[in-house]
Amino acid sequence: MNTHARKANLLALLSLLVVLLISGLAACGGPDAAQPQTPSPQPSALSVATTYFQVFNAGMRSGDFSALASVYAPDATLTQSSTKGVTTVFHGLADITRFYQGLKTRLAGYQWTTESMHGVAPNVVLAYEHAGSPPLRIASRCIHMFVIQNGKITSYEWAGYYAGQP
């Protein structure tokens, strides 16, 4: 076999290997598959806390608390301390939802108004608010501390420090 024929065969073999390599890369997604995927941006902790109060107030008006799943992690913890010094801990979305349903019954007509909200860390929000309904002349006062991860509330401390005045 002459040198020209050997070079032609070698070129054909190399061409076949290149085609197979390119086909293999294309089947794996090519160069794009090697690039890390950018996760979709998570809402800020402040926006999650703001949305929480909107969802909470809507539930207090309607009695439907199903939207809590949009702001709470399924395994979240809510620690609620009343002005009477009673602290209760609720674990998981179902338990937390039952708490809100009972709250709607006990405090029918109440709405919560945020007075100030601060991000004290990238995933921690502190909020002060007042709450009440027409029977109260002076609204109650509360403080809220949210821990938010992956766009959901994972831990929430809620303490009432003034019961309001009828």
Side-chain angles (χ1 to χ4, degrees):
M1 189 183 266
N2 67 28
T3 308
H4 181 59
R6 280 189 212 159
K7 286 182 181 180
N9 285 340
L10 184 58
L11 183 59
L13 181 60
L14 287 173
S15 297
L16 177 61
L17 287 174
V18 168
V19 167
L20 289 174
L21 182 61
I22 291 171
S23 297
L25 287 174
C28 293
D32 289 341
Q35 299 296 322
Q37 297 296 319
T38 304
S40 59
Q42 295 294 327
S44 73
L46 284 170
S47 69
V48 172
T50 299
T51 301
Y52 160 79
F53 281 112
Q54 293 166 350
V55 165
F56 173 47
N57 278 326
M60 288 298 288
R61 284 188 299 275
S62 70
D64 178 5
F65 291 97
S66 61
L68 288 174
S70 70
V71 292
Y72 268 108
D75 59 346
T77 299
L78 164 63
T79 303
Q80 200 278 330
S81 298
S82 73
T83 56
K84 294 179 181 177
V86 176
T87 298
T88 310
V89 179
F90 305 92
H91 296 286
L93 187 57
D95 198 23
I96 291 169
T97 300
R98 280 190 294 277
F99 162 73
Y100 286 114
Q101 290 165 339
L103 192 65
K104 162 90 169 104
T105 301
R106 286 190 317 278
L107 302 176
Y110 271 50
Q111 290 290 288
W112 279 252
T113 302
T114 303
E115 293 176 4
S116 67
M117 189 178 299
H118 312 281
V120 294
N123 66 328
V124 178
V125 174
L126 177 67
Y128 292 92
E129 53 75 19
H130 65 270
S133 68
L136 288 182
R137 290 182 296 117
I138 301 173
S140 66
R141 302 279 191 264
C142 298
I143 185 171
H144 307 265
M145 179 72 73
F146 300 91
V147 177
I148 297 163
Q149 296 175 347
N150 300 318
K152 301 278 182 137
I153 299 166
T154 57
S155 177
Y156 175 22
E157 306 280 334
W158 173 1
Y161 57 89
Y162 177 70
Q165 190 173 19

